[in-house]
C-alpha cells in the first residue's frame, strides 16, 4: 500500500516542497520527489503520481519515479488536478495556460483535449474515475459544467445559485449519476447527471 505525503502544518515531518512515497507494508519512505515550489496537490494511481505546483503539473512513473510528462498551466493557486483511477490508460485533467480553460490528456490515445469551460479562472475540477466525464466550476461558483471528454462536448450545466461563492469540493458519485458540490456558504448541492446516451 503506497501513500504520497507532503509536508505541512505547524510541525511538518517534511518540507512543503517535497513529496514522500510511503510504503505502509514496510513502514518507511521508499521514494522522494523534490521541487523548487510548494506542492499544492497531488494525485496517485497504481502506475503514476501527478503533482500540481503553482504554474505546472509533473507526472511521474510510480515504479521508478522517472518523469513521464510536464504540463504548464495558468496560475493554479488551488492545485487543481484530476487523474482517472479505474482504467488502464491514464486520463489527466488540469488547468490549461488560458484562464477558465481545461487541458485533458488522454495518454492511451496520445491525445490532448482543450475545453473552454469558463470565462473566469477555474476553482474546481472533478473527473470520473474512468476518465470519461469532467465537471468544472469557476471562481464565481454559480455554474457547474459537465463535459464528455472524448468529444469535448458540454452535456450538462447546473446552476448552483446566483451569489458568488468559494467552491470547496466537487465530487462524482461512484456510478457517475450524481455530482455534489460544497461551498463556503455551508451548503451542499447534489445534481442528477443525465448523459445523452441514456
Amino acid at each position: 500500500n503506497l501513500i504520497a505525503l507532503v509536508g505541512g502544518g505547524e510541525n511538518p515531518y517534511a518540507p512543503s516542497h517535497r513529496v514522500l512515497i510511503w510504503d505502509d507494508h514496510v513502514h518507511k519512505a521508499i521514494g522522494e520527489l523534490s521541487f523548487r515550489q510548494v506542492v499544492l496537490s497531488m494525485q496517485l494511481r497504481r502506475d503514476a503520481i501527478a503533482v500540481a505546483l503553482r504554474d505546472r503539473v509533473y507526472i511521474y512513473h510510480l515504479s521508478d519515479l522517472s518523469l513521464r510528462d510536464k504540463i504548464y498551466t495558468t496560475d493554479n493557486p488551488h492545485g487543481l488536478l484530476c487523474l482517472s483511477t479505474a482504467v488502464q490508460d491514464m486520463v489527466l485533467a488540469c488547468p490549461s495556460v488560458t484562464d477558465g480553460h481545461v487541458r485533458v490528456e488522454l495518454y492511451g490515445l496520445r491525445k490532448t483535449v482543450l475545453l473552454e469551460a469558463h470565462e473566469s479562472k477555474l476553482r474546481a475540477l472533478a473527473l470520473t474515475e474512468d476518465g470519461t466525464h469532467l465537471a468544472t466550476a469557476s471562481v464565481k461558483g454559480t455554474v457547474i459544467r459537465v463535459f464528455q471528454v472524448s468529444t469535448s462536448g458540454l452535456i450538462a450545466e447546473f446552476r448552483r445559485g446566483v451569489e458568488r461563492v468559494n467552491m470547496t469540493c466537487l465530487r462524482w458519485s461512484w456510478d457517475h449519476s450524481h455530482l455534489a458540490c460544497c461551498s463556503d456558504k455551508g451548503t451542499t448541492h447534489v445534481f442528477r447527471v443525465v448523459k445523452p446516451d441514456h
Side-chain angles (χ1 to χ4, degrees), residues 12-36:
Y13 176 76
S16 59
H17 66 275
R18 280 177 37 202
V19 175
L20 298 176
I21 309 300
W22 184 269
D23 188 331
D24 199 42
H25 184 69
V26 296
H27 303 289
K28 68 177 184 177
I30 59 167
E32 179 182 314
L33 298 168
S34 189
F35 304 93
R36 293 183 179 156

Side-chain angles (χ1 to χ4, degrees), residues 132-154:
T132 58
H133 294 84
L134 177 73
T136 66
S138 76
V139 291
K140 291 180 181 177
T142 55
V143 173
I144 298 167
R145 295 194 171 108
V146 177
F147 296 89
Q148 185 169 352
V149 171
S150 61
T151 65
S152 306
L154 177 67

Side-chain angles (χ1 to χ4, degrees), residues 128 130 132-133 146 148 155-156 172-178 192-198:
T128 54
D130 61 1
T132 58
H133 294 84
V146 177
Q148 185 169 352
I155 63 166
W172 287 94
S173 63
W174 66 272
D175 62 355
H176 315 155
S177 65
H178 291 83
R192 184 168 181 261
V193 181
V194 179
K195 297 173 188 153
D197 53 338
H198 290 95

